[in-house]
Amino acid sequence: MSTNKPGAIVPLELHYEIQSFLFREARMLDSEQFRPWQATLTDDIHYWLPIRENRFRKDKRPEPTPENSSSVYNDDYTDIEHRIQRFETGLAWIEDPPSRIRRIVSNVEAEYTDNENELNVFSNIILYRNRRQDEEAWFVAARRDRLRNVDGAWYLARRHIVFDQHVVLDENLSVFM
Amino acid sequence: MTKNLNINDLVRADGGVQDRRIYWDEDVYQMELERVFARSWLFLAQDSLIPEKGDFLTTFMGQDRVIVTRGEDGQVKAFLNACSHRGNIICRADSGNAKNFVCNYHGWAYGSDGRVSDIPLQDEIYPKSFDRSAMDLRQVRVESYRGFIFGTFDDSAPSLSDYLGEMGWYFDTFMDVPGGSELLGPPTKVRVKANWKFFAENFVGDFYHAGWTHAAAIKVIGGPLMGILGNQATPQGAMQFGTKYGHGFNAAPGTDEVFPHIHQGHIAEMWEDWVRQRTPVLKERLGDERATLYNAIWDGSMFPNTSFLRGIDTWKVWQPRGPREVEVWTWTLVERDMPEELKQGIRHTNEKTFGVAGILEGDDGENMEGNTQTAEGFITRDQPLNAEMGIGWEQLDSDVFPSMMSEPGDNEAAQRNFLRMWRTMMTSDSWDEIMASRSKEHKK
């Protein structure tokens, strides 16, 4: 891998491997297999969903909001562990009965980075959440992932989610994307 | 839908029983926009959110769009965000820096004071008699309290300081610390299909729900809050307060060893060190009572639609979007002199617990939607709601604390006080009437 230039697209077979990682991850999250999903995260995971603001084009401040500004998720491994534990207490009333969640992952691109064990992976998702009798939400986002190869297996080391709503139009965003 | 509403019939005089239409009915809501939102002091901004000349943000007062901006003279002004010509929205950005605001429709421009600064081709297309000054944007009356900026459309309302009343004394516990407090933004925003009052009431006094609604999150977070898990006990030493114009809060104080907050890990230690080091300073500055409240977990609301939590350090506005929908805006509340690492840690706690994906916030939203939506049933809507917890135990101006106080912390005294203020505003034709009525009630 060391000869591959940062930014170059990975070859077909590796692309397939990465895409399979994302699809498998999607299936685990849709079916509430949070512990197996957690096992695919690195210990130094940064899971981040900053907020979007309406800004004039001439406004040079970063958008979405940068680190050390407002976010919806700004989680490390412990934060994710807490979210999963909360779910496992059996006391999280809002997920009982459970929501129905299904996501479509698309526009997958994988690029080499300056670290021979890591790839930048881009994808888009459409996530459908259906709750209770008739509550529906559609969430659309882009994901900027960093995947790391450790002893031949891929792990998620960073997920930066660019979420395409300013006002979040459903009652919460309590769903891993 | 409901004609000839008599508001006095919808909330019992002591606030303890409510007709569900106040959380559902479109006519009640329209009346609230006029009688509550257009006459109250509403939260607009905090100094830290618009620190420089020309900084602006756009927000809402009820459903009225407003621009809040710091002018060339450093003074904060607020005015309607709707062009005087044909009514278009003038500024569609959430925040930024601008010397003027230009309407997209015909190019009418307004200065950072809200006064019209340019009408393209005016001399050629308007008669000399045209009253240009009448085109200035409707101003909001703006006042601030310790850097927290509020506005009202009502010139006859009492001053912000009088409107806060004893709540200002309590706010000083964290606002009048050396250096003051500030908000970290921009706000996160989320839409919930619930009546705004359910949230404001929940924050003004509902300790009782915390141990049950939030059981899962409390179990995971642990710490001093574990005592209330599953509503097995009322919080030790907790008190509830309600002030003249409907504001109120709960506080559960800690001790020299116990620090009630929900920060975790390293940030929890930093928070506790900070409180330990600040408490003697506050004792000197503000006295024993507020030094005690400084190390306490609080939930509170300022009438009508601003709420906060201390020890979690959230600041929220419930922006109404009709009788059955609300937009929840959330900032982080910190002390200005705190080290940057602690401020960012507090922001992180606030977002993790009471943000858009907060592990406690989601629980509340679900309840508030349920509270609202069951009223769609004709018969259900006819069943009154109850808030009689601790009724009759309120005391006015105890030797220690000003305003109305009640114990234990699991109580609905503050909700009743909030609802009585709401009832008074909805039924009074003038602020004179409101002031007279509320003063009478809060006179010992």
Side-chain angles (χ1 to χ4, degrees), chain B residues 299-321:
Chain B
D299 56 86
S301 291
M302 180 182 157
F303 187 90
N305 67 330
T306 302
S307 295
F308 64 96
L309 300 169
R310 185 173 156 72
I312 292 142
D313 307 301
T314 199
W315 185 272
K316 287 178 184 285
V317 172
W318 319 107
Q319 306 280 21
R321 290 287 178 276

Side-chain angles (χ1 to χ4, degrees), chain A residues 51 53-54 61 68-71 73-74 79 82-83 86 89 93-94 131-132 166 168 170-173, chain B residues 93-96 185-187 189-191 212 216 220 264 344 347-348 351-352 356-357 359 363 366 369:
Chain A
I51 68 163
E53 268 216 311
N54 297 295
R61 293 174 298 159
N68 289 340
S69 184
S70 300
S71 58
Y73 286 90
N74 191 10
D79 298 321
H82 285 161
R83 291 185 195 275
R86 171 181 176 275
T89 59
W93 317 130
I94 66 165
R131 305 182 71 245
R132 307 304 193 221
H166 165 59
V168 174
D170 198 35
E171 64 181 286
N172 62 61
L173 257 189
Chain B
D94 299 309
S95 69
K189 302 176 186 177
V190 59
R191 204 68 75 79
W212 194 268
V220 170
Q264 288 144 52
Q344 294 304 333
R347 187 201 306 256
H348 179 59
E351 289 171 349
K352 179 177 169 180
V356 177
I359 59 176
D363 303 328
E366 177 94 344
E369 290 199 347

Side-chain angles (χ1 to χ4, degrees), chain A residues 24-38 83-88 90 92-103 129-132 174-176:
Chain A
R24 192 169 56 241
E25 182 199 33
R27 182 162 46 81
M28 288 191 283
L29 288 171
D30 285 351
S31 54
E32 298 186 349
Q33 298 175 58
F34 296 123
R35 291 300 180 189
W37 174 69
Q38 189 186 26
R83 291 185 195 275
I84 296 173
Q85 276 180 18
R86 171 181 176 275
F87 192 81
E88 291 172 342
W93 317 130
I94 66 165
E95 279 308 323
D96 193 10
S99 303
R100 290 163 287 274
I101 290 167
R102 197 74 58 205
R103 74 199 68 205
R129 180 168 73 181
N130 180 286
R131 305 182 71 245
R132 307 304 193 221
S174 301
V175 54
F176 289 119

Side-chain angles (χ1 to χ4, degrees), chain B residues 209-266:
Chain B
H209 84 294
W212 194 268
T213 288
H214 304 302
I218 288 173
K219 193 167 181 186
V220 170
I221 290 166
L225 289 182
M226 279 300 273
I228 62 170
L229 181 68
N231 274 3
Q232 299 199 33
T234 61
Q236 285 293 307
M239 298 165 280
Q240 186 165 84
F241 302 89
T243 69
K244 188 158 76 173
Y245 293 123
H247 326 309
F249 67 103
N250 284 307
T255 65
D256 291 344
E257 292 86 38
V258 179
F259 297 85
H261 60 74
I262 64 171
H263 302 295
Q264 288 144 52
H266 173 53

